[in-house]
Amino acid sequence: MSIGMNIRHDSAVTHVAGESVFIDDRPEVRGEVHVGVVGSPIARGRLISIDSKEALAHPDCLGVYTAADFHAKAWGTIKHDQPFLVVEEISYMQEAVCLIASKRRDSVEAIKKLIKVKAEETPGVFSIDEAKAKGEVLYRAASPFMQGNVDAALAQAPHCLKGVFRCGGQEHFYLESQAAIAYPLENGQVEVHSSSQHPSETQRVVAEALGIPFHQVVCVVKRMGGGFGGKESQGAPIAAYAALVANRLKRAARIVLTKDQDMMITGKRHPFQNEYEVGFDGDGRLLAVKAILQSDGGAYLDLSSSILERAMFHLDGAYYLPNVHIEGVCYRTHHHPHTAFRGFGGPQGNMTIESILEDVAHFLKKDASEVRRINLYSGQNLRTPYGQVLENNLLPEIHERLLKSANYQKRLKELTEFNSKRTGKIRGISVTATKFGISFTARFLNQANALVNLQLDGTLQVSTGATEMGQGVNTKIQQIVAHAFGLPPESVRVMPTSTEKNHNTSPTAASSGSDLNGAAALLAANRIKNRLIPLARAMFNGLSFDPTLEFEAGKEADKEADKEADTVSDSGIQFQEGRVLDSLSGKSIRLQELIQTAYQNRISLGSYAHYKTPDLGFDKTKVTGRAFNYYTQGMAVSEVEIDEYTGEMKVRRADILMDLGRSLNPGIDRGQTTGAFIQGMGWVTSEHLVYDEKRNLLSHSPTTYKIPNVQDTPREFHVDFIENPHNDRNVHGSKAVGEPPFLLGTSVWTAIKHALSYRANGKEIHLVSPATPEVILMELTRLKGM
């Protein structure tokens, strides 16, 4: 019984022992070269020339490559609008201008410095307001999300507030920077090992860059040292750089960006600037919400359109909005193209409604948790702003249980008394929620395939399109397949992801890696079992075998295996603890004996399966259909303490309660929950991207960019899961966990807002995100009238 157990991460031991192999751990092969990227010295303008004479004279330099060396000039996940290398127009600081190839790694930087890039600078656009004024629109949502009559409800509402919510970007800060190695093979083939969340896209982008058919390229992903969305799309051009050099020199080519280079070159989480108007009654019930979500997409589209739409999908948060109007616009600026990041726009939408509710409570002088309670989705047949009915809703129960287990009311009273003593410190407490839609909003991406091979010794090899970036997807797939055959998890080995084994895969993103690939692996496992069951039944009935004859039941089983089968054909035959049991007769045989007999009777012991999430389909133009398969729900209560003289903030305590259905692996889910919360907390408190006047990123290293460390984690930290046996929308009743808890980090930011309310003297609180100590101190100074 592997499902629901705390099976350790499949790489836990090798990680600790330092034996896990990442891209740059692969030993160099004979003649291997190192690739460097030369970036633009300006943020916007025209490329005049590239002088590479001195670089080519360097004894270690093997070549300099420009846009002219690429077959396809541009790439893009949704729209091919981003050049591999600058052709003429420069659109952001450090945009890749050319590549160099060096015999030695330690010569790369020296050779790069010998490249002379001449460019003509023109004024750039660096804010949403500037882009808005100049009409620099990258994407506008096809249709607004509307429900009820928002204008009439606003006109009749007893109270109204207007405002602008602003949140900044965020650096992914994965431990392994963008990296790839390309190996040229015979007949013009190339094998790429990439730190990528999307091997199939990497395969396609490399093929297009080189001008060769897709079948000439194989992309392999063993694991990544973190991804968080930053390797969903932006790892592909990095792999193409290595592949181009390998193709030209006919030598293996390696590219590994330094942390500084990676942070300066790659895109971040999208900054948002959301305008809103809200109408509410004296109890704090939201009567109408009108919002325009505005994002900074950077220089090229990347995934910005989908991210904007997911922000719109999550503007309602966990709260029912009877009258609502939501629009979305993504603006083009001359920043690095912003890209996917854990939550994929959901946090920027969800945080807006949580900020609004905190402001409503402050305006009415009410407890914000009570304002949230009366606005929670509660009851039957409640529709979201995009028309989907909320099913299996546990939000009211989670709210009640969490506030009780966190001693919310007692602590609220205590911190109110504490704040009245004027000790130079203030405390705040807040509860926020997540109702995260699980599925890709692009319907075609909700598919996966898996190959399961049952070996003669009773062990299994499983290949899927999922990529392991530390989140434990391989371990969950291992558990699913082991459970199907009644074997211990160590009997299953999940193989490196490769496009030659699993084709046209979707990215491991949208929290759907385990959902899609686990379901596909289970289908493949069940097909093998459906071939074995007739044979087992025959063996239990005493059938003897003639090796010169075909086993008729086996032929029928092979036919049945070609059909879609999400369950086994005979529930009377059970696979348990390495044996196969007949519940009718009580007889049993070793699984290995059954496998050997199947092999001798030419019954296939391997199977491929394709899975697609059922009942999905959303029309963006008409705003109709089912956008999500289900929702992962949860809430967090966070308490903070602020030093009024420095603005320094500490999280005293955090309590989280999540609905994860029937957890496949509670230990891994707990790790994902705590990690996501801390990363979300970092986004809203300390992770500040700083640029100079030329738009050079100043915070491009661990010394200048502040992610949470152990001293920033809550002094007291509680995480629990609510039992929910009613989820039948996913494999084994489980729910996705990768992104939903990230949104709960918002509770730290709203707790800061609550703390500031004790010094507001009736004024509105103007707090941006991230709420760094400087931001907090400046707002405290303003509120105190100093």
Coordinates of all heavy atoms in Angstrom, one line a residue, residues 449-455 458-464 477-478 480-482 484-485 487 491-495 501-502 517-529 531-532 604-610:
N449 N 1.3 11.5 -21.5 CA 1.5 10.1 -21.9 C 2.5 9.4 -21.0 O 3.4 10.1 -20.4 CB 1.8 9.9 -23.4 CG 3.0 10.7 -23.8 OD1 4.1 10.3 -23.5 ND2 2.8 11.8 -24.5
A450 N 2.4 8.1 -20.9 CA 3.3 7.4 -20.0 C 3.7 6.0 -20.7 O 2.8 5.4 -21.3 CB 2.7 7.2 -18.7
L451 N 4.9 5.6 -20.4 CA 5.3 4.3 -20.8 C 5.7 3.5 -19.6 O 6.6 4.0 -18.8 CB 6.5 4.4 -21.8 CG 7.2 3.1 -22.2 CD1 6.3 2.2 -23.0 CD2 8.5 3.4 -23.0
V452 N 5.1 2.4 -19.4 CA 5.4 1.5 -18.2 C 5.9 0.2 -18.7 O 5.3 -0.5 -19.5 CB 4.2 1.3 -17.3 CG1 4.5 0.4 -16.2 CG2 3.7 2.7 -16.7
N453 N 7.1 -0.2 -18.2 CA 7.7 -1.5 -18.6 C 7.9 -2.4 -17.4 O 8.6 -2.0 -16.4 CB 9.1 -1.3 -19.3 CG 8.9 -0.7 -20.6 OD1 8.0 -0.9 -21.4 ND2 9.9 0.2 -21.0
L454 N 7.2 -3.5 -17.4 CA 7.3 -4.5 -16.3 C 8.4 -5.5 -16.6 O 8.3 -6.2 -17.6 CB 6.0 -5.2 -16.1 CG 5.8 -6.2 -14.9 CD1 6.2 -5.6 -13.6 CD2 4.4 -6.8 -14.9
Q455 N 9.4 -5.5 -15.8 CA 10.6 -6.4 -16.0 C 10.3 -7.8 -15.5 O 9.4 -8.0 -14.7 CB 11.8 -5.8 -15.4 CG 12.1 -4.4 -15.8 CD 12.4 -4.2 -17.3 OE1 12.9 -5.1 -17.9 NE2 12.2 -3.0 -17.8
G458 N 10.0 -8.5 -11.8 CA 9.0 -7.9 -11.0 C 9.2 -6.4 -10.7 O 8.5 -5.9 -9.9
T459 N 10.2 -5.9 -11.3 CA 10.5 -4.4 -11.1 C 9.9 -3.7 -12.3 O 9.7 -4.3 -13.4 CB 12.0 -4.1 -10.9 OG1 12.7 -4.5 -12.0 CG2 12.5 -4.8 -9.6
L460 N 9.8 -2.4 -12.2 CA 9.2 -1.6 -13.3 C 10.1 -0.3 -13.6 O 10.7 0.3 -12.7 CB 7.8 -1.1 -12.9 CG 6.8 -2.2 -12.7 CD1 6.4 -2.3 -11.2 CD2 5.5 -1.9 -13.6
Q461 N 10.1 0.0 -14.8 CA 10.6 1.3 -15.3 C 9.5 2.1 -15.9 O 8.7 1.6 -16.7 CB 11.7 1.1 -16.4 CG 12.9 0.4 -15.8 CD 14.0 0.2 -16.9 OE1 13.6 -0.1 -18.0 NE2 15.2 0.3 -16.6
V462 N 9.4 3.4 -15.5 CA 8.3 4.2 -15.9 C 8.9 5.5 -16.5 O 9.8 6.1 -15.9 CB 7.4 4.6 -14.7 CG1 6.2 5.5 -15.1 CG2 6.9 3.4 -13.9
S463 N 8.3 5.9 -17.7 CA 8.8 7.1 -18.3 C 7.5 7.9 -18.6 O 6.5 7.4 -19.1 CB 9.4 6.8 -19.7 OG 10.6 6.0 -19.5
T464 N 7.6 9.2 -18.2 CA 6.5 10.1 -18.5 C 7.1 11.5 -19.0 O 8.3 11.6 -19.1 CB 5.7 10.4 -17.2 OG1 6.4 11.3 -16.3 CG2 5.3 9.1 -16.5
I477 N 4.6 9.5 -8.8 CA 4.4 8.6 -9.9 C 4.9 7.2 -9.5 O 4.2 6.2 -9.8 CB 5.1 9.1 -11.2 CG1 4.4 10.4 -11.7 CG2 5.0 8.0 -12.3 CD1 5.1 11.1 -12.8
Q478 N 6.0 7.1 -8.8 CA 6.5 5.9 -8.3 C 5.5 5.2 -7.4 O 5.3 4.0 -7.5 CB 7.8 6.2 -7.5 CG 8.5 5.0 -6.9 CD 9.7 5.4 -6.0 OE1 9.6 6.5 -5.4 NE2 10.7 4.6 -5.9
I480 N 2.2 5.7 -7.3 CA 1.0 5.3 -8.0 C 1.2 4.0 -8.7 O 0.3 3.1 -8.7 CB 0.6 6.4 -9.0 CG1 0.1 7.7 -8.3 CG2 -0.4 5.9 -10.0 CD1 0.0 8.9 -9.2
V481 N 2.3 3.8 -9.4 CA 2.6 2.6 -10.2 C 2.9 1.4 -9.2 O 2.4 0.3 -9.4 CB 3.7 2.8 -11.1 CG1 4.1 1.5 -11.8 CG2 3.4 3.8 -12.2
A482 N 3.6 1.7 -8.1 CA 3.9 0.6 -7.2 C 2.6 0.1 -6.6 O 2.4 -1.1 -6.4 CB 4.8 1.1 -6.1
A484 N -0.4 0.2 -7.9 CA -1.2 -0.6 -8.9 C -0.8 -2.0 -8.9 O -1.6 -2.9 -9.1 CB -1.0 0.1 -10.2
F485 N 0.5 -2.3 -8.7 CA 1.0 -3.7 -8.8 C 1.2 -4.3 -7.4 O 1.7 -5.5 -7.3 CB 2.3 -3.8 -9.6 CG 2.1 -3.6 -11.1 CD1 2.3 -2.4 -11.7 CD2 1.7 -4.7 -11.9 CE1 2.1 -2.2 -13.0 CE2 1.5 -4.5 -13.2 CZ 1.7 -3.3 -13.8
L487 N 3.3 -3.5 -5.1 CA 4.8 -3.7 -4.9 C 5.3 -2.5 -4.0 O 4.7 -1.5 -3.9 CB 5.5 -3.6 -6.2 CG 5.3 -4.8 -7.2 CD1 5.8 -4.5 -8.5 CD2 5.9 -6.1 -6.6
S491 N 10.5 -0.8 -5.9 CA 10.5 -1.7 -7.1 C 10.2 -0.9 -8.4 O 10.3 -1.5 -9.5 CB 9.4 -2.8 -6.9 OG 9.6 -3.6 -5.9
V492 N 10.0 0.4 -8.2 CA 9.6 1.2 -9.4 C 10.7 2.3 -9.6 O 11.1 2.9 -8.6 CB 8.3 1.9 -9.2 CG1 8.0 2.8 -10.4 CG2 7.2 0.8 -9.0
R493 N 11.2 2.4 -10.8 CA 12.2 3.4 -11.1 C 11.6 4.3 -12.2 O 11.2 3.9 -13.3 CB 13.5 2.8 -11.6 CG 14.5 3.8 -12.1 CD 15.1 4.6 -11.0 NE 15.7 3.8 -10.0 CZ 16.0 4.2 -8.8 NH1 15.7 5.5 -8.4 NH2 16.6 3.4 -7.9
V494 N 11.5 5.6 -11.8 CA 11.0 6.6 -12.8 C 12.3 7.1 -13.5 O 13.2 7.6 -13.0 CB 10.3 7.8 -12.1 CG1 9.9 8.8 -13.1 CG2 9.1 7.3 -11.3
M495 N 12.2 7.0 -14.9 CA 13.4 7.2 -15.7 C 13.5 8.7 -16.1 O 12.5 9.5 -16.0 CB 13.3 6.4 -17.0 CG 13.0 4.9 -16.7 SD 14.2 4.1 -15.6 CE 15.7 4.2 -16.7
K501 N 11.0 9.0 -25.8 CA 10.1 8.0 -25.1 C 8.7 8.6 -24.9 O 7.7 7.9 -24.9 CB 10.7 7.6 -23.8 CG 11.9 6.7 -23.9 CD 12.4 6.3 -22.6 CE 13.1 7.4 -21.8 NZ 13.8 7.0 -20.6
N502 N 8.6 9.9 -24.6 CA 7.3 10.6 -24.4 C 7.3 11.8 -25.3 O 8.0 12.8 -25.1 CB 7.2 10.9 -22.9 CG 7.2 9.7 -22.0 OD1 8.2 9.3 -21.5 ND2 6.1 9.0 -21.9
N517 N 0.5 13.2 -15.4 CA 1.4 12.1 -15.7 C 1.2 10.9 -14.8 O 1.4 9.8 -15.2 CB 2.9 12.6 -15.5 CG 3.2 13.7 -16.6 OD1 3.5 13.3 -17.7 ND2 3.2 14.9 -16.2
G518 N 0.7 11.2 -13.5 CA 0.3 10.1 -12.7 C -0.9 9.3 -13.2 O -0.9 8.1 -13.1
A519 N -1.8 10.1 -13.8 CA -3.0 9.4 -14.3 C -2.6 8.6 -15.6 O -3.1 7.5 -15.8 CB -4.1 10.5 -14.7
A520 N -1.7 9.1 -16.4 CA -1.3 8.4 -17.6 C -0.5 7.1 -17.2 O -0.7 6.1 -17.8 CB -0.4 9.3 -18.4
A521 N 0.3 7.3 -16.2 CA 1.1 6.1 -15.7 C 0.1 5.0 -15.1 O 0.4 3.8 -15.3 CB 2.1 6.5 -14.6
L522 N -0.9 5.5 -14.4 CA -1.9 4.5 -13.9 C -2.6 3.8 -15.0 O -2.9 2.6 -14.9 CB -2.8 5.2 -12.9 CG -3.9 4.3 -12.3 CD1 -3.3 3.2 -11.5 CD2 -4.8 5.2 -11.4
L523 N -3.0 4.5 -16.0 CA -3.7 3.9 -17.2 C -2.8 2.8 -17.8 O -3.2 1.7 -18.1 CB -4.0 5.0 -18.2 CG -5.3 5.8 -18.0 CD1 -5.4 6.9 -19.1 CD2 -6.5 4.9 -18.0
A524 N -1.5 3.2 -18.0 CA -0.6 2.2 -18.6 C -0.4 1.0 -17.7 O -0.4 -0.2 -18.2 CB 0.8 2.9 -18.9
A525 N -0.3 1.2 -16.4 CA -0.2 0.1 -15.5 C -1.4 -0.8 -15.5 O -1.3 -2.1 -15.5 CB 0.0 0.6 -14.1
N526 N -2.6 -0.2 -15.6 CA -3.8 -1.0 -15.6 C -3.9 -1.8 -16.9 O -4.5 -2.9 -16.9 CB -5.0 0.0 -15.5 CG -5.2 0.4 -14.0 OD1 -4.7 -0.2 -13.1 ND2 -6.0 1.5 -13.9
R527 N -3.4 -1.3 -18.0 CA -3.5 -2.0 -19.2 C -2.6 -3.3 -19.1 O -3.0 -4.4 -19.7 CB -3.0 -1.1 -20.4 CG -4.0 -0.1 -20.7 CD -3.5 0.8 -21.9 NE -4.6 1.7 -22.3 CZ -4.5 2.6 -23.3 NH1 -3.5 2.5 -24.1 NH2 -5.5 3.4 -23.5
I528 N -1.5 -3.2 -18.5 CA -0.6 -4.4 -18.3 C -1.4 -5.4 -17.4 O -1.4 -6.6 -17.7 CB 0.7 -4.0 -17.7 CG1 1.5 -3.1 -18.6 CG2 1.5 -5.2 -17.3 CD1 2.8 -2.5 -18.0
K529 N -2.0 -4.9 -16.3 CA -2.7 -5.7 -15.4 C -3.9 -6.4 -16.1 O -4.2 -7.6 -15.9 CB -3.2 -4.9 -14.2 CG -2.1 -4.5 -13.3 CD -2.6 -3.5 -12.3 CE -3.6 -4.1 -11.3 NZ -4.0 -3.2 -10.2
R531 N -3.9 -7.4 -19.1 CA -3.4 -8.5 -19.9 C -3.1 -9.7 -19.0 O -3.2 -10.8 -19.4 CB -2.1 -8.1 -20.6 CG -2.3 -7.0 -21.7 CD -1.0 -6.8 -22.5 NE -1.1 -5.6 -23.3 CZ -0.4 -4.5 -23.1 NH1 0.4 -4.5 -22.1 NH2 -0.5 -3.5 -23.9
L532 N -2.6 -9.4 -17.8 CA -2.2 -10.4 -16.8 C -3.3 -11.1 -16.1 O -3.2 -12.3 -15.8 CB -1.2 -9.9 -15.8 CG 0.1 -9.3 -16.3 CD1 0.9 -8.7 -15.2 CD2 1.0 -10.4 -16.9
S604 N 2.4 -9.1 -23.8 CA 3.2 -7.9 -23.6 C 3.2 -7.5 -22.1 O 2.2 -7.4 -21.4 CB 2.6 -6.8 -24.4 OG 3.3 -5.5 -24.1
L605 N 4.4 -7.1 -21.7 CA 4.6 -6.7 -20.3 C 5.0 -5.2 -20.2 O 5.4 -4.7 -19.2 CB 5.7 -7.5 -19.6 CG 5.4 -9.0 -19.4 CD1 6.6 -9.7 -18.9 CD2 4.2 -9.2 -18.4
G606 N 4.7 -4.5 -21.3 CA 4.9 -3.1 -21.4 C 3.7 -2.4 -21.9 O 2.9 -3.0 -22.7
S607 N 3.4 -1.2 -21.6 CA 2.3 -0.5 -22.1 C 2.5 1.0 -22.2 O 3.2 1.6 -21.3 CB 1.0 -0.8 -21.3 OG -0.1 -0.3 -21.9
Y608 N 1.9 1.6 -23.2 CA 1.9 3.1 -23.3 C 0.4 3.5 -23.1 O -0.5 2.8 -23.5 CB 2.4 3.5 -24.7 CG 2.0 4.9 -25.1 CD1 2.8 6.0 -24.8 CD2 0.8 5.1 -25.8 CE1 2.5 7.2 -25.2 CE2 0.4 6.4 -26.2 CZ 1.3 7.5 -25.9 OH 0.9 8.7 -26.2
A609 N 0.3 4.7 -22.5 CA -1.1 5.2 -22.3 C -1.1 6.7 -22.5 O -0.1 7.4 -22.2 CB -1.7 4.8 -21.0
H610 N -2.2 7.2 -22.9 CA -2.4 8.6 -23.1 C -3.6 9.1 -22.3 O -4.6 8.4 -22.2 CB -2.7 9.0 -24.6 CG -2.9 10.4 -24.8 ND1 -4.2 11.0 -24.9 CD2 -2.1 11.5 -25.0 CE1 -4.1 12.3 -25.1 NE2 -2.9 12.6 -25.2

